[in-house]
Amino acid sequence: MADKRFKTLAICLAAVALVGGAVLAQEKPDGKSKPYVPRKVVLSAEPVTRDEARKIIEKVNKAFVKVMPRLKPVKPTLAGPQPVSRTEIITQFNKLFEMAKAEFKFTPRKVAYNASVISVKDPEAKAKVQNLIAWGCVDKVGPLATSDKETLGVLEFGDAVGLLVARVAELTHTADPRFSPDLMP
């Protein structure tokens, strides 16, 4: 019994020594720690380029495949320094959505929306964005679906990607009835 207490005490002392060493290592030689300097976020009024969109979609693609290994990755078809159009973004989002659809755990109620506010001109892209809106993967009044401009800015693109990823995460998650009783049949 005493041997077990001694081992526990030794482990606790070693942990305290490690934590204390880590804290001391972060301090400057004069004993003061570095002041917090917030990272500067640079926002541009420029539209997102095809190269930037491709990089983000590749990261989302890798994240989906890492979390859901049975999925086959989708290759983005965007390249170049030109601004990416909303139609191209919708096409890429639809590819990601269709790729992840095999892993969906439930089918939610479709999102109601007003089809007259959707400003996508291409009929094929319009059908895709309407499907994504109905599944809740695209904001029904967001700039991807309703903007007058043909391109998206950094914040607008980031919001659209975030909503898509969050909704796919929700749809591919098996809810625990203890914590999500509203999602249970």
Side-chain angles (χ1 to χ4, degrees), residues 147-160:
S147 178
D148 293 333
K149 297 186 297 183
E150 191 51 37
T151 60
L152 294 180
V154 174
L155 289 177
E156 297 164 335
F157 180 71
D159 285 346

PDB file of all heavy atoms in Angstrom, residues 147-160:
ATOM      1  N   SER A 147     -26.688  37.137 -54.452  1.00  0.00           N
ATOM      2  CA  SER A 147     -25.928  38.347 -54.749  1.00  0.00           C
ATOM      3  C   SER A 147     -26.131  38.821 -56.185  1.00  0.00           C
ATOM      4  O   SER A 147     -26.369  38.033 -57.102  1.00  0.00           O
ATOM      5  CB  SER A 147     -24.440  38.096 -54.510  1.00  0.00           C
ATOM      6  OG  SER A 147     -23.684  39.240 -54.824  1.00  0.00           O
ATOM      7  N   ASP A 148     -26.012  40.134 -56.362  1.00  0.00           N
ATOM      8  CA  ASP A 148     -26.055  40.710 -57.705  1.00  0.00           C
ATOM      9  C   ASP A 148     -24.699  40.574 -58.397  1.00  0.00           C
ATOM     10  O   ASP A 148     -24.619  40.564 -59.624  1.00  0.00           O
ATOM     11  CB  ASP A 148     -26.446  42.189 -57.643  1.00  0.00           C
ATOM     12  CG  ASP A 148     -27.869  42.372 -57.164  1.00  0.00           C
ATOM     13  OD1 ASP A 148     -28.689  41.456 -57.371  1.00  0.00           O
ATOM     14  OD2 ASP A 148     -28.167  43.437 -56.587  1.00  0.00           O
ATOM     15  N   LYS A 149     -23.631  40.479 -57.591  1.00  0.00           N
ATOM     16  CA  LYS A 149     -22.288  40.330 -58.156  1.00  0.00           C
ATOM     17  C   LYS A 149     -22.065  38.872 -58.558  1.00  0.00           C
ATOM     18  O   LYS A 149     -22.658  37.958 -57.983  1.00  0.00           O
ATOM     19  CB  LYS A 149     -21.231  40.733 -57.122  1.00  0.00           C
ATOM     20  CG  LYS A 149     -21.298  42.190 -56.700  1.00  0.00           C
ATOM     21  CD  LYS A 149     -20.148  42.557 -55.799  1.00  0.00           C
ATOM     22  CE  LYS A 149     -20.193  41.754 -54.509  1.00  0.00           C
ATOM     23  NZ  LYS A 149     -19.151  42.090 -53.563  1.00  0.00           N
ATOM     24  N   GLU A 150     -21.178  38.667 -59.497  1.00  0.00           N
ATOM     25  CA  GLU A 150     -20.894  37.311 -59.958  1.00  0.00           C
ATOM     26  C   GLU A 150     -19.751  36.669 -59.172  1.00  0.00           C
ATOM     27  O   GLU A 150     -19.470  35.487 -59.336  1.00  0.00           O
ATOM     28  CB  GLU A 150     -20.566  37.332 -61.457  1.00  0.00           C
ATOM     29  CG  GLU A 150     -20.516  35.980 -62.121  1.00  0.00           C
ATOM     30  CD  GLU A 150     -21.749  35.097 -61.871  1.00  0.00           C
ATOM     31  OE1 GLU A 150     -22.866  35.625 -61.812  1.00  0.00           O
ATOM     32  OE2 GLU A 150     -21.582  33.874 -61.725  1.00  0.00           O
ATOM     33  N   THR A 151     -19.090  37.440 -58.287  1.00  0.00           N
ATOM     34  CA  THR A 151     -17.980  36.919 -57.483  1.00  0.00           C
ATOM     35  C   THR A 151     -18.296  37.103 -56.010  1.00  0.00           C
ATOM     36  O   THR A 151     -19.232  37.810 -55.641  1.00  0.00           O
ATOM     37  CB  THR A 151     -16.673  37.643 -57.830  1.00  0.00           C
ATOM     38  OG1 THR A 151     -16.845  39.046 -57.567  1.00  0.00           O
ATOM     39  CG2 THR A 151     -16.282  37.429 -59.277  1.00  0.00           C
ATOM     40  N   LEU A 152     -17.477  36.467 -55.166  1.00  0.00           N
ATOM     41  CA  LEU A 152     -17.613  36.589 -53.713  1.00  0.00           C
ATOM     42  C   LEU A 152     -16.329  37.144 -53.123  1.00  0.00           C
ATOM     43  O   LEU A 152     -15.234  36.834 -53.607  1.00  0.00           O
ATOM     44  CB  LEU A 152     -17.899  35.231 -53.074  1.00  0.00           C
ATOM     45  CG  LEU A 152     -19.222  34.546 -53.397  1.00  0.00           C
ATOM     46  CD1 LEU A 152     -19.305  33.216 -52.665  1.00  0.00           C
ATOM     47  CD2 LEU A 152     -20.390  35.412 -53.034  1.00  0.00           C
ATOM     48  N   GLY A 153     -16.460  37.929 -52.060  1.00  0.00           N
ATOM     49  CA  GLY A 153     -15.302  38.401 -51.321  1.00  0.00           C
ATOM     50  C   GLY A 153     -14.813  37.333 -50.356  1.00  0.00           C
ATOM     51  O   GLY A 153     -15.414  36.260 -50.226  1.00  0.00           O
ATOM     52  N   VAL A 154     -13.736  37.629 -49.659  1.00  0.00           N
ATOM     53  CA  VAL A 154     -13.129  36.666 -48.742  1.00  0.00           C
ATOM     54  C   VAL A 154     -14.096  36.273 -47.627  1.00  0.00           C
ATOM     55  O   VAL A 154     -14.277  35.082 -47.347  1.00  0.00           O
ATOM     56  CB  VAL A 154     -11.819  37.244 -48.153  1.00  0.00           C
ATOM     57  CG1 VAL A 154     -11.249  36.327 -47.100  1.00  0.00           C
ATOM     58  CG2 VAL A 154     -10.806  37.500 -49.253  1.00  0.00           C
ATOM     59  N   LEU A 155     -14.724  37.259 -46.985  1.00  0.00           N
ATOM     60  CA  LEU A 155     -15.647  36.948 -45.890  1.00  0.00           C
ATOM     61  C   LEU A 155     -16.857  36.159 -46.374  1.00  0.00           C
ATOM     62  O   LEU A 155     -17.295  35.211 -45.714  1.00  0.00           O
ATOM     63  CB  LEU A 155     -16.107  38.230 -45.197  1.00  0.00           C
ATOM     64  CG  LEU A 155     -15.069  38.953 -44.348  1.00  0.00           C
ATOM     65  CD1 LEU A 155     -15.641  40.240 -43.789  1.00  0.00           C
ATOM     66  CD2 LEU A 155     -14.600  38.060 -43.220  1.00  0.00           C
ATOM     67  N   GLU A 156     -17.400  36.532 -47.503  1.00  0.00           N
ATOM     68  CA  GLU A 156     -18.575  35.839 -48.040  1.00  0.00           C
ATOM     69  C   GLU A 156     -18.232  34.393 -48.403  1.00  0.00           C
ATOM     70  O   GLU A 156     -18.993  33.470 -48.090  1.00  0.00           O
ATOM     71  CB  GLU A 156     -19.098  36.574 -49.278  1.00  0.00           C
ATOM     72  CG  GLU A 156     -19.583  37.974 -48.986  1.00  0.00           C
ATOM     73  CD  GLU A 156     -19.733  38.829 -50.227  1.00  0.00           C
ATOM     74  OE1 GLU A 156     -19.059  38.574 -51.241  1.00  0.00           O
ATOM     75  OE2 GLU A 156     -20.541  39.765 -50.173  1.00  0.00           O
ATOM     76  N   PHE A 157     -17.081  34.201 -49.019  1.00  0.00           N
ATOM     77  CA  PHE A 157     -16.649  32.854 -49.387  1.00  0.00           C
ATOM     78  C   PHE A 157     -16.390  32.026 -48.129  1.00  0.00           C
ATOM     79  O   PHE A 157     -16.794  30.861 -48.040  1.00  0.00           O
ATOM     80  CB  PHE A 157     -15.395  32.914 -50.264  1.00  0.00           C
ATOM     81  CG  PHE A 157     -14.892  31.565 -50.693  1.00  0.00           C
ATOM     82  CD1 PHE A 157     -15.599  30.816 -51.615  1.00  0.00           C
ATOM     83  CD2 PHE A 157     -13.716  31.055 -50.173  1.00  0.00           C
ATOM     84  CE1 PHE A 157     -15.138  29.567 -52.023  1.00  0.00           C
ATOM     85  CE2 PHE A 157     -13.247  29.814 -50.569  1.00  0.00           C
ATOM     86  CZ  PHE A 157     -13.962  29.062 -51.496  1.00  0.00           C
ATOM     87  N   GLY A 158     -15.740  32.640 -47.142  1.00  0.00           N
ATOM     88  CA  GLY A 158     -15.467  31.932 -45.895  1.00  0.00           C
ATOM     89  C   GLY A 158     -16.738  31.513 -45.171  1.00  0.00           C
ATOM     90  O   GLY A 158     -16.833  30.402 -44.648  1.00  0.00           O
ATOM     91  N   ASP A 159     -17.731  32.400 -45.152  1.00  0.00           N
ATOM     92  CA  ASP A 159     -19.019  32.057 -44.536  1.00  0.00           C
ATOM     93  C   ASP A 159     -19.684  30.897 -45.266  1.00  0.00           C
ATOM     94  O   ASP A 159     -20.247  29.996 -44.642  1.00  0.00           O
ATOM     95  CB  ASP A 159     -19.956  33.269 -44.537  1.00  0.00           C
ATOM     96  CG  ASP A 159     -19.586  34.301 -43.492  1.00  0.00           C
ATOM     97  OD1 ASP A 159     -18.787  33.985 -42.589  1.00  0.00           O
ATOM     98  OD2 ASP A 159     -20.105  35.435 -43.579  1.00  0.00           O
ATOM     99  N   ALA A 160     -19.644  30.920 -46.579  1.00  0.00           N
ATOM    100  CA  ALA A 160     -20.268  29.861 -47.369  1.00  0.00           C
ATOM    101  C   ALA A 160     -19.585  28.514 -47.129  1.00  0.00           C
ATOM    102  O   ALA A 160     -20.254  27.489 -46.947  1.00  0.00           O
ATOM    103  CB  ALA A 160     -20.245  30.226 -48.850  1.00  0.00           C
TER     104      ALA A 160
END
